Amino acid sequence: MAASQVASRKQLAIPNKPIFNYQDIASMTISEIGLLRLKSTASLEDLNIQKRLDEIKSYLEDFTGHEFYYFRQAEDLSLLYLLGQWESLESHYKGMHSADQWKNIVMELSNYFEFQWMAHYDFLLEGLRLDDGILEVHRFFMKTPSRDEFDKELKARLPKAGYHRHLIRKFV
């Protein structure tokens, strides 16, 4: 994994509130964010792990036809985000998850990482400049009635902080 230069800062605000059911979004293009925690017995400085992560990234890109990205958390270097895009939720679950090669990859990754969470969102990566090197991710858990007030407050505060704003509604 090559070191990235810091050119700008982006913030993703991700409320953890489903807004669609599976039937509504099975054929929509979706993006995925996953968080992996490196086990204490592994290191991202290990060239074999780096090579394997690059191979997995290539596999995902070949399968989906979209780019995938890794981001390392600055505050906790044991956390690695995976960000990518799928043509549809159906292609992700019925195509990728049913493939034996993917099952083997997940088993291998579990030697180095603990899967923290994986979530799917109704936004396209084309709206983000991911090659800039920094991605800030926040997940918010709230009750449904609080959602409108949260969106209003967040929209008012983010531009003042100098962030590019990408509000994402979780749907799966």
Side-chain angles (χ1 to χ4, degrees), residues 17-98:
K17 176 189 169 288
I19 62 170
F20 297 107
N21 65 40
Y22 179 81
Q23 289 76 27
D24 292 336
I25 51 85
S27 61
M28 289 174 52
T29 301
I30 61 165
S31 293
E32 175 178 57
I33 300 175
L35 181 61
L36 307 170
R37 179 178 297 280
L38 191 66
K39 291 185 175 182
S40 61
T41 56
S43 168
L44 284 179
E45 306 308 314
D46 182 326
L47 295 179
N48 290 327
I49 293 175
Q50 288 180 27
K51 180 182 177 202
R52 194 61 185 128
L53 286 171
D54 286 341
E55 291 169 353
I56 291 166
K57 181 179 177 288
S58 293
Y59 175 77
L60 289 168
E61 290 174 344
D62 289 345
F63 188 92
T64 64
H66 295 281
E67 289 188 70
F68 274 72
Y69 302 86
Y70 292 114
F71 289 91
R72 201 161 180 190
Q73 184 169 311
E75 297 84 4
D76 183 347
L77 296 177
S78 71
L79 294 175
L80 186 71
Y81 288 89
L82 172 66
L83 179 62
Q85 190 167 289
W86 299 84
E87 282 307 309
S88 68
L89 192 61
E90 188 169 16
S91 72
H92 178 36
Y93 281 115
K94 292 184 179 177
M96 176 64 82
H97 283 267
S98 63

Side-chain angles (χ1 to χ4, degrees), residues 4-8 10 70-72 129-135:
S4 299
Q5 292 183 340
V6 177
S8 71
K10 287 168 283 307
Y70 292 114
F71 289 91
R72 201 161 180 190
R129 294 186 330 231
L130 296 170
D131 294 326
D132 288 349
I134 287 192
L135 176 70

Side-chain angles (χ1 to χ4, degrees), residues 107-169:
M107 288 301 294
E108 182 182 350
L109 276 177
S110 68
N111 292 321
Y112 311 115
F113 293 96
E114 295 171 354
F115 292 88
Q116 301 299 298
W117 54 266
M118 198 66 76
H120 304 94
Y121 301 94
D122 63 339
F123 73 98
L124 301 179
L125 298 181
E126 288 81 21
L128 302 174
R129 294 186 330 231
L130 296 170
D131 294 326
D132 288 349
I134 287 192
L135 176 70
E136 188 170 329
V137 177
H138 297 271
R139 287 179 79 200
F140 299 94
F141 296 86
M142 67 192 77
K143 295 180 181 177
T144 301
S146 304
R147 176 57 196 252
D148 290 337
E149 186 61 31
F150 173 83
D151 284 347
K152 180 180 170 186
E153 186 69 25
L154 189 62
K155 287 177 185 177
R157 290 180 182 228
L158 284 180
K160 294 175 188 171
Y163 295 116
H164 298 287
R165 185 174 67 240
H166 296 280
L167 301 177
I168 300 164
R169 296 178 180 265

